[in-house]
Structure formats: C-alpha cells, structure tokens
Amino acid sequence: MTGIGGAGTSGMVDWNLAVATATRLVRPGPDVSRDEAREIVAELRRHAKAAEEHVRAFTRMIPEGAEPEDTPVLVVDRAGWVRANVAGFREVLRPLLDKMQERRGNMPGGAVLGAVGGKVTGVELGMLLSFLSSRVLGQYETFAPATRDLPAAPGGGGRLLLVAPNIVHVERELDVAPHDFRLWVCLHEETHRTQFTAVPWLRDHLEGEIQSFLGETEVDPMTVLERLREAAQSLAGGRPEGEEGEEGRSLVELVQTPAQREILGRLTAVMSLLEGHADYVMDGVGPQVVPSVTEIREKFKERRAKGASRLDMALRKLLGLDAKLRQYRDGERFVRAVVDEVGMDGFNRVWTSPNTLPTKAEIANPADWVARVHRKAES
C-alpha cells in the first residue's frame, strides 16, 4: 500500500495502518451499476461547477471579474475520503506528534513503546475514520497536502471532497429527487470553498488557532491518562464530588486544559459561523435552482436531529459531533439575524480580519456583533 506522505509506520501514529484499518472496516456503499456510478460522478462534477456560480452571486464575497485561487473538486468513495483525511490529520498534528515523540524517545524503552503505541493509535484512528466515512456527504479540506492520488491547491491550499456513496445513500433514505439533492449538497460544500478562497487570511488564522490549541496539550503520559480517567468518570456518571456542569461536555472537551478551552471557544465561534453561513447560503440559493428544496430541507433536518441509532447518538456525544449539529443551528441563526439587520454586504464585514469574526457570545447574540463591528465603525 502506498504510504501517506512518507514513512507512515514511524512515530506516534502508524498512519498506513490507520488507512488499512479504516479501509478494511468501511461499510460498502449502496448498490449501483458501473454506468450509474459514472453518471453520478459526472453529475456531481457538473453540480459543483454550477454551485460555484450560484454561491458567488448570492454571497458577493468575490468581486465581479476577480479570480481567486482555484482548488480542485474531487468526487471520492469512502476509502478515498479516509485517505484524504489521514493526509490532512498528519499535516495538522505533525508539531504535536513530533513533540510527543521527542519526549517518549528520552524515556527508558521509549523506542519500543513508540512502535507499539503507534500501531495501537493507528488502529484506533482507523476505527474512528471507518465510522465517520459513511456519514460525511462532502467536505472542504482546509489543510490538504497533495498526495499521489489526491491533488490539492498550490501550497497545501485545500480541496473539495464530495463523497458519492454517502450522497446516494442519503438521497435514497430520504426518498428525495436525486438531481435536486446532489445540487443542494454541492451548494453547501461550495460555500465552504468560497469562504476560504475569497478570504485568504482565514486558513492561516484557523491553522494558528489549532496549533496554539495543540501547543497547550500536555505531553506527559501520566497527565494525559489522569485526564482521560476523569473524563471517563464524568461520562459514566461517576464525576468526582464538587465538579458540576461537566455532563454537557464531550470526551474531547473534558481532556482539555483551561487555556485550550479558551481557544476552543474561539474555534467554536468560527466553525459556527462557517457552518451556519453555508446552511444560510444553501437555503437562500435553493428556491431558485432546487425545485424540491423545501421537502429536502425538512427531511434532512429531521434526519440530523434524530440520528441513525442509539449507538450513533452515543458516539456523536462521545466524540463531540453533537456540538457540530449545534454549530449549524446557532451559526445559521447568527447569519440570518445579521443579514436581516445590515444586509449581505454588511454581513460580509465579518470577513475583514480576525478581529471582525464573531465571538462565541456574539454567535448567541448577533446584535452585539452588529453593535461592535458596525456602530463602532460608523461612530
């Protein structure tokens, strides 16, 4: 198997083993003939191109006549999504894993522990990715190094992934018009691509926040184990006496330091903005180009809310995926309220600089953002 960007079997994570594990465990997609598959891929490519024009016209984020840096659109299967995400994870986590590898190398028997631990972590990551690979319809990969099979924008700029088997699975499950549903999905994902191609500083800002978050991560193994133990107790209902308010937090949140929680608050606000904006644009463009958009939206919202099963909902909670659902809802409310108050061009001031991004509190109270960004600028 081809390695992911180099020697995948060294270090804290065996990346090749992660890919192999996920690929082996990934669920098969819906039954389609070879000709149907070709047509689905071709149609998704056409819709992605059409969505680009619709989104740019609606958002007015890209000045007329301007050509932002282009990023590739890739229609992939579930295994392709796994390979792309492993490449992205490896790029983002490299500084943290290098630091942990250095710490472990100085421990007695560190090399042996590293080899064993890397394989264990590779298997665990592969299992997680196999679970997620059947749930993602599309994804703009912000931090996407090019690989032999997966091109990206120059300088690691990004790529748009459309996961064809999952789109077909959901359109059949919801019993909606395939042509309309595929375009509707492309509108959402194309909005993410426009956000990053029209706002050049956004990628670097997010990367800086993520690296700050990872830089605060405890690398002492005993400290990490203690945090995981506390997290497990809280999630199991055995929270130590005096620790209140933890039941609403995921495992991801519970293993963080106070400094990381502060950074996470800023990241949550940005992600709520990006996801809510994509939903707002999808609904705004939809009525003009997607005849059955109302039916699709209602059925999709219901599907989002209830989850697939009790196990699925438990995993969502454990991994913090339920927070992503709140980001769609809260972010869309923020965008709608701001556009209603100051119009689309007024809303687009949000993309001026990191200082004009909403805070977590402003996502919940859009009038506060309007007062800070607009009335301050006009006074």
Side-chain angles (χ1 to χ4, degrees):
M1 182 180 62
T2 302
I4 302 296
T9 57
S10 63
M12 301 293 294
V13 180
D14 187 331
W15 298 105
N16 285 347
L17 184 57
V19 172
T21 301
T23 303
R24 185 174 68 252
L25 296 177
V26 73
R27 298 176 183 176
D31 289 331
V32 294
S33 69
R34 190 180 296 267
D35 288 343
E36 283 178 307
R38 286 199 195 97
E39 176 52 35
I40 290 164
V41 170
E43 184 175 24
L44 286 172
R45 292 189 189 282
R46 291 195 301 271
H47 283 330
K49 185 62 180 175
E52 181 180 333
E53 301 303 320
H54 294 312
V55 169
R56 290 184 183 185
F58 183 81
T59 64
R60 300 202 289 276
M61 290 178 66
I62 299 174
E64 190 172 347
E67 279 301 323
E69 180 182 55
D70 198 17
T71 53
V73 177
L74 307 179
V75 181
V76 297
D77 59 12
R78 290 168 178 174
W81 179 88
V82 167
R83 288 194 297 272
N85 275 266
V86 166
F89 283 152
R90 184 169 189 170
E91 187 72 15
V92 171
L93 295 176
R94 189 185 305 276
L96 172 64
L97 296 179
D98 286 349
K99 182 168 67 172
M100 295 182 73
Q101 179 73 9
E102 182 181 356
R103 171 71 68 90
R104 178 169 280 177
N106 294 329
M107 295 169 56
V112 175
L113 286 173
V116 175
K119 291 189 179 299
V120 171
T121 307
V123 170
E124 290 173 341
L125 177 60
M127 293 172 67
L128 172 62
L129 288 169
S130 72
F131 167 75
L132 295 174
S133 68
S134 62
R135 286 157 174 76
V136 177
L137 301 182
Q139 172 185 352
Y140 183 78
E141 266 206 301
T142 314
F143 312 105
T147 67
R148 183 183 303 173
D149 304 322
L150 297 162
R159 56 183 165 231
L160 179 62
L161 305 178
L162 297 169
V163 190
N166 297 347
I167 293 172
V168 173
H169 171 79
V170 174
E171 71 192 25
R172 291 179 178 179
E173 179 185 324
L174 298 182
D175 191 24
V176 293
H179 174 86
D180 287 3
F181 184 74
R182 294 167 193 175
L183 177 55
W184 188 72
V185 170
C186 287
L187 290 170
H188 182 101
E189 302 308 332
E190 179 57 40
T191 302
H192 287 317
R193 186 165 73 140
T194 297
Q195 289 163 348
F196 284 93
T197 54
V199 187
W201 56 263
L202 185 57
R203 179 186 183 276
D204 289 341
H205 173 70
L206 270 180
E207 184 175 24
E209 291 280 54
I210 291 169
Q211 292 306 327
S212 296
F213 181 90
L214 295 176
E216 290 288 336
T217 299
E218 299 281 0
V219 294
D220 177 65
M222 294 308 296
T223 302
V224 173
L225 286 173
E226 179 64 19
R227 290 188 180 279
L228 287 170
R229 185 188 64 81
E230 292 173 0
Q233 284 182 342
S234 177
L235 289 167
R239 185 175 64 253
E241 188 176 355
E243 293 185 9
E244 300 300 332
E246 301 286 326
E247 62 273 7
R249 300 218 305 266
S250 70
L251 177 60
V252 175
E253 293 172 296
L254 287 167
V255 298
Q256 290 157 10
T257 66
Q260 285 177 310
R261 288 176 189 152
E262 184 177 334
I263 298 168
L264 183 68
R266 297 196 297 269
L267 282 170
T268 298
V270 176
M271 298 312 297
S272 295
L273 170 69
L274 299 180
E275 296 293 356
H277 183 237
D279 265 14
Y280 178 82
V281 172
M282 184 168 59
D283 286 349
V285 175
Q288 284 75 49
V289 298
V290 182
S292 59
V293 65
T294 302
E295 177 192 4
I296 290 173
R297 190 70 167 128
E298 287 176 356
K299 289 183 174 181
F300 196 76
K301 272 186 174 179
E302 183 180 348
R303 181 181 185 273
R304 258 187 194 170
K306 71 180 182 180
S309 67
R310 182 173 294 180
L311 173 62
D312 187 63
M313 293 177 72
L315 285 167
R316 284 177 186 272
K317 178 66 179 174
L318 180 66
L319 299 172
L321 300 180
D322 55 338
K324 187 173 178 66
L325 300 183
R326 290 196 298 274
Q327 287 169 8
Y328 287 111
R329 183 183 66 243
D330 297 344
E332 196 273 343
R333 276 203 300 256
F334 170 84
V335 175
R336 185 172 301 281
V338 172
V339 173
D340 286 349
E341 178 71 18
V342 296
M344 183 64 76
D345 291 333
F347 166 79
N348 280 341
R349 286 196 193 180
V350 79
W351 312 117
T352 304
S353 76
N355 293 329
T356 56
L357 291 172
T359 64
K360 192 174 179 181
E362 287 170 342
I363 288 288
N365 296 283
D368 292 348
W369 181 87
V370 173
R372 176 171 68 86
V373 173
H374 281 265
R375 289 169 198 159
K376 182 178 178 181
E378 294 162 3
S379 60

